[in-house]
PDB file of all heavy atoms in Angstrom:
ATOM      1  N   ASP A 559      64.234 179.025  94.949  1.00 96.00           N
ATOM      2  CA  ASP A 559      64.262 180.483  94.817  1.00 96.00           C
ATOM      3  C   ASP A 559      63.211 180.972  93.826  1.00 96.00           C
ATOM      4  O   ASP A 559      62.591 182.024  94.040  1.00 96.00           O
ATOM      5  CB  ASP A 559      65.656 180.936  94.387  1.00 96.00           C
ATOM      6  CG  ASP A 559      65.881 182.408  94.651  1.00 96.00           C
ATOM      7  OD1 ASP A 559      65.718 182.834  95.811  1.00 96.00           O
ATOM      8  OD2 ASP A 559      66.202 183.152  93.704  1.00 96.00           O
ATOM      9  N   GLN A 560      62.984 180.227  92.757  1.00 97.00           N
ATOM     10  CA  GLN A 560      61.951 180.602  91.793  1.00 97.00           C
ATOM     11  C   GLN A 560      60.563 180.499  92.422  1.00 97.00           C
ATOM     12  O   GLN A 560      59.700 181.341  92.179  1.00 97.00           O
ATOM     13  CB  GLN A 560      62.042 179.711  90.552  1.00 97.00           C
ATOM     14  CG  GLN A 560      63.255 180.001  89.688  1.00 97.00           C
ATOM     15  CD  GLN A 560      63.423 178.991  88.557  1.00 97.00           C
ATOM     16  OE1 GLN A 560      63.096 177.806  88.723  1.00 97.00           O
ATOM     17  NE2 GLN A 560      63.928 179.432  87.427  1.00 97.00           N
ATOM     18  N   VAL A 561      60.349 179.462  93.222  1.00 97.00           N
ATOM     19  CA  VAL A 561      59.058 179.302  93.903  1.00 97.00           C
ATOM     20  C   VAL A 561      58.824 180.465  94.860  1.00 97.00           C
ATOM     21  O   VAL A 561      57.729 181.044  94.906  1.00 97.00           O
ATOM     22  CB  VAL A 561      59.005 177.960  94.662  1.00 97.00           C
ATOM     23  CG1 VAL A 561      57.761 177.891  95.552  1.00 97.00           C
ATOM     24  CG2 VAL A 561      59.003 176.783  93.686  1.00 97.00           C
ATOM     25  N   VAL A 562      59.861 180.816  95.632  1.00 97.00           N
ATOM     26  CA  VAL A 562      59.736 181.922  96.585  1.00 97.00           C
ATOM     27  C   VAL A 562      59.483 183.231  95.853  1.00 97.00           C
ATOM     28  O   VAL A 562      58.649 184.050  96.275  1.00 97.00           O
ATOM     29  CB  VAL A 562      61.009 182.020  97.458  1.00 97.00           C
ATOM     30  CG1 VAL A 562      60.994 183.293  98.298  1.00 97.00           C
ATOM     31  CG2 VAL A 562      61.134 180.800  98.352  1.00 97.00           C
ATOM     32  N   THR A 563      60.166 183.447  94.741  1.00 97.00           N
ATOM     33  CA  THR A 563      59.965 184.668  93.954  1.00 97.00           C
ATOM     34  C   THR A 563      58.548 184.741  93.413  1.00 97.00           C
ATOM     35  O   THR A 563      57.879 185.787  93.508  1.00 97.00           O
ATOM     36  CB  THR A 563      60.981 184.724  92.798  1.00 97.00           C
ATOM     37  OG1 THR A 563      62.311 184.720  93.328  1.00 97.00           O
ATOM     38  CG2 THR A 563      60.777 185.965  91.953  1.00 97.00           C
ATOM     39  N   LEU A 564      58.059 183.651  92.843  1.00 98.00           N
ATOM     40  CA  LEU A 564      56.701 183.621  92.309  1.00 98.00           C
ATOM     41  C   LEU A 564      55.682 183.821  93.427  1.00 98.00           C
ATOM     42  O   LEU A 564      54.700 184.553  93.276  1.00 98.00           O
ATOM     43  CB  LEU A 564      56.462 182.288  91.601  1.00 98.00           C
ATOM     44  CG  LEU A 564      55.126 182.119  90.869  1.00 98.00           C
ATOM     45  CD1 LEU A 564      54.948 183.179  89.792  1.00 98.00           C
ATOM     46  CD2 LEU A 564      55.026 180.720  90.259  1.00 98.00           C
ATOM     47  N   ALA A 565      55.919 183.173  94.572  1.00 98.00           N
ATOM     48  CA  ALA A 565      55.014 183.309  95.709  1.00 98.00           C
ATOM     49  C   ALA A 565      54.968 184.748  96.215  1.00 98.00           C
ATOM     50  O   ALA A 565      53.909 185.228  96.657  1.00 98.00           O
ATOM     51  CB  ALA A 565      55.453 182.372  96.833  1.00 98.00           C
ATOM     52  N   SER A 566      56.102 185.449  96.145  1.00 98.00           N
ATOM     53  CA  SER A 566      56.128 186.844  96.630  1.00 98.00           C
ATOM     54  C   SER A 566      55.257 187.739  95.755  1.00 98.00           C
ATOM     55  O   SER A 566      54.595 188.654  96.265  1.00 98.00           O
ATOM     56  CB  SER A 566      57.573 187.353  96.672  1.00 98.00           C
ATOM     57  OG  SER A 566      58.097 187.557  95.365  1.00 98.00           O
ATOM     58  N   ILE A 567      55.230 187.489  94.453  1.00 98.00           N
ATOM     59  CA  ILE A 567      54.361 188.274  93.556  1.00 98.00           C
ATOM     60  C   ILE A 567      52.900 187.944  93.827  1.00 98.00           C
ATOM     61  O   ILE A 567      52.043 188.833  93.870  1.00 98.00           O
ATOM     62  CB  ILE A 567      54.724 187.990  92.081  1.00 98.00           C
ATOM     63  CG1 ILE A 567      56.176 188.386  91.797  1.00 98.00           C
ATOM     64  CG2 ILE A 567      53.779 188.740  91.141  1.00 98.00           C
ATOM     65  CD1 ILE A 567      56.654 188.037  90.402  1.00 98.00           C
ATOM     66  N   ILE A 568      52.611 186.665  94.009  1.00 98.00           N
ATOM     67  CA  ILE A 568      51.238 186.251  94.334  1.00 98.00           C
ATOM     68  C   ILE A 568      50.787 186.906  95.636  1.00 98.00           C
ATOM     69  O   ILE A 568      49.661 187.401  95.745  1.00 98.00           O
ATOM     70  CB  ILE A 568      51.167 184.714  94.443  1.00 98.00           C
ATOM     71  CG1 ILE A 568      51.447 184.068  93.083  1.00 98.00           C
ATOM     72  CG2 ILE A 568      49.811 184.270  94.976  1.00 98.00           C
ATOM     73  CD1 ILE A 568      51.618 182.557  93.135  1.00 98.00           C
ATOM     74  N   GLN A 569      51.683 186.917  96.644  1.00 98.00           N
ATOM     75  CA  GLN A 569      51.371 187.535  97.929  1.00 98.00           C
ATOM     76  C   GLN A 569      51.041 189.018  97.763  1.00 98.00           C
ATOM     77  O   GLN A 569      50.092 189.539  98.379  1.00 98.00           O
ATOM     78  CB  GLN A 569      52.561 187.379  98.875  1.00 98.00           C
ATOM     79  CG  GLN A 569      52.332 187.926 100.279  1.00 98.00           C
ATOM     80  CD  GLN A 569      51.452 187.035 101.124  1.00 98.00           C
ATOM     81  OE1 GLN A 569      51.808 185.911 101.435  1.00 98.00           O
ATOM     82  NE2 GLN A 569      50.277 187.540 101.489  1.00 98.00           N
ATOM     83  N   ALA A 570      51.792 189.693  96.921  1.00 97.00           N
ATOM     84  CA  ALA A 570      51.613 191.137  96.737  1.00 97.00           C
ATOM     85  C   ALA A 570      50.398 191.469  95.876  1.00 97.00           C
ATOM     86  O   ALA A 570      49.794 192.541  96.028  1.00 97.00           O
ATOM     87  CB  ALA A 570      52.875 191.732  96.111  1.00 97.00           C
TER      88      ALA A 570
END
Side-chain angles (χ1 to χ4, degrees):
D559 198 56
Q560 289 173 326
V561 171
V562 171
T563 300
L564 185 59
S566 71
I567 299 175
I568 295 171
Q569 183 75 64

